[in-house]
Amino acid sequence: MKYFYLLTISFVCLSSQLFAQFRIEAKFKNLRDSVCYLTYYYEDVNYVQDSAKVNANGVVVFQAKQNLEPGLYNLMIGGWKSIDILVVEQQFSFEADAKDLVNTIKFTGSRENDLFYSYQQKIVREGAKIALLETKTDSVSINKKYAIQYELEQYRKKFVTAFAGTFASKLIKATMPMDLPQAPKLSNGQEDPLWSNKFFVNHFFDNFDLTDDRMIRTPYIHQNVASYFEPLTFLPIDSLIILSNKIIEKAGRNTAMRKYLITKTTGFFETSKTMGHDAVFVYMMKKYYLQEPQLWDENTIKLVKQRVFYLEKLLIGSKIPDVKLTDLAGKEQTLHAQKADCTILYIYAADCGHCKNFTPQLVQLHRRYADKGLQVFAPIFGNDLDTWGEFIKHYQTQDFVNVIDQTGNVNFFQEFDAQYTPTIYILDKEKRIVGKGNLAIEDMEQIVVRYLGK
């Protein structure tokens, strides 16, 4: 588990107890003169919220004038031991034996933690029985193990139902797998073979309360956004947009959870390596950033507007913006003026390791299809003529339309989204984008062949 010091709240002495908004007091048996850290969960990292020292009587107090953000916290004590704590109530106390934290912990003033640890203690007790039975191979022990496992499964379900609405119940439910119902029968009497896939798409988030902002400060939500979309990247863009909307609409309006889900979903498609997913990214920015400005600061809105302005012109099916550059002979060349059935726009940098490895493959691809109508329009980042010439000579790209921005007026990073090199666009005869992104040479060849001669 990773720990970072993000926000440290000074220890408030006991004389200020009357002014404290949050106060957590712990008394530990078998622990003295040790520093404890109160940390909160955010995605896969624990951030330090506060630190305090255990006194000679085993007592440690965390308190401040501001309320803690509700959520799941973790208290690290001496010897790298730790326990999770639910912060719903802002003032409570507990006692525990440092040698057996989970089984001995008792709370005062926190019903949520009482519930949470009644569950945890049951799981630990039954888990110890299962571990013992797993060392045995006789049928009686095996059957006992399965019986306990079944009983625990039923216990989880009963707990979640009995204490529905509590944060403890929501946390436990978030760790439970989906229950897959029996597949329905098709008209031919056979079970629907796509039932499990359909159920996954429609019910993946059933065990997560996306209306509760407290769930943000847990380890559960962030990993599930990616886990949901990663197996669905093959779906068409329209379907991915519909699913994204469904997830975000599960959260309330103007809530921290809504903002979080927008950020995570948008981020997934922004960084996706699947060609065409930038269309979902642009859609998300327009719908959830520009149409819900109350969730964002002015600088974010400004950056999003700028990003949308440029990216909308670079989506699959769009006619790519033209650019005027200078070739080796000092003549002006424009991208749109290239007479080719298929054009590869290859934006590279001379000091880019990936460019050095990829350029020879592109040279061979061009040689195979140049007489069939393929052209490579190759702008270089920077305007050093000597470096440019050396690259062309060394990698034998003389047959490309090699161009350079001598004026420094072209912002490839922004205007062509060249945030990495090489940046590649494949264009049809009309200079419409038919392929883009981090493409292997084999994938590029398939696209090129499809558009040659059309």
Side-chain angles (χ1 to χ4, degrees), residues 135 264 297 361:
T135 64
K264 296 303 294 184
D297 59 72
Q361 300 178 60

Side-chain angles (χ1 to χ4, degrees), residues 338-392:
Q338 303 307 307
K339 304 299 183 184
D341 290 324
C342 186
T343 303
I344 295 173
L345 173 60
Y346 183 64
I347 304 171
Y348 69 97
D351 59 352
C352 160
H354 188 49
C355 300
K356 293 175 182 178
N357 292 328
F358 190 81
T359 300
Q361 300 178 60
L362 184 58
V363 168
Q364 293 302 315
L365 177 66
H366 180 244
R367 288 175 180 172
R368 287 196 295 275
Y369 296 101
D371 61 347
K372 295 180 176 62
L374 175 64
Q375 185 55 278
V376 177
F377 191 82
I380 186 172
F381 261 112
N383 54 14
D384 187 294
L385 297 180
D386 291 336
T387 301
W388 181 40
E390 290 171 5
F391 188 95
I392 293 170

Side-chain angles (χ1 to χ4, degrees), residues 422-440:
T423 292
I424 297 169
Y425 292 90
I426 304 176
L427 315 173
D428 68 7
K429 190 174 183 178
E430 306 301 324
K431 300 301 180 288
R432 289 186 295 263
I433 300 170
V434 295
K436 61 183 293 189
N438 186 23
L439 299 170

Side-chain angles (χ1 to χ4, degrees), residues 383 405-411:
N383 54 14
D405 177 26
Q406 288 187 315
T407 64
N409 291 329
V410 180
N411 187 338

Side-chain angles (χ1 to χ4, degrees), residues 63-100:
Q63 62 182 8
K65 293 182 180 180
Q66 301 80 25
N67 281 347
L68 286 179
E69 290 287 343
L72 183 63
Y73 285 68
N74 183 269
L75 181 61
M76 296 179 58
I77 69 172
W80 293 101
K81 295 180 179 180
S82 69
I83 49 171
D84 285 336
I85 297 174
L86 279 59
V87 173
V88 176
E89 302 92 349
Q90 291 289 325
Q91 297 189 17
F92 59 89
S93 62
F94 66 89
E95 298 182 2
D97 189 332
K99 293 183 177 180
D100 188 6

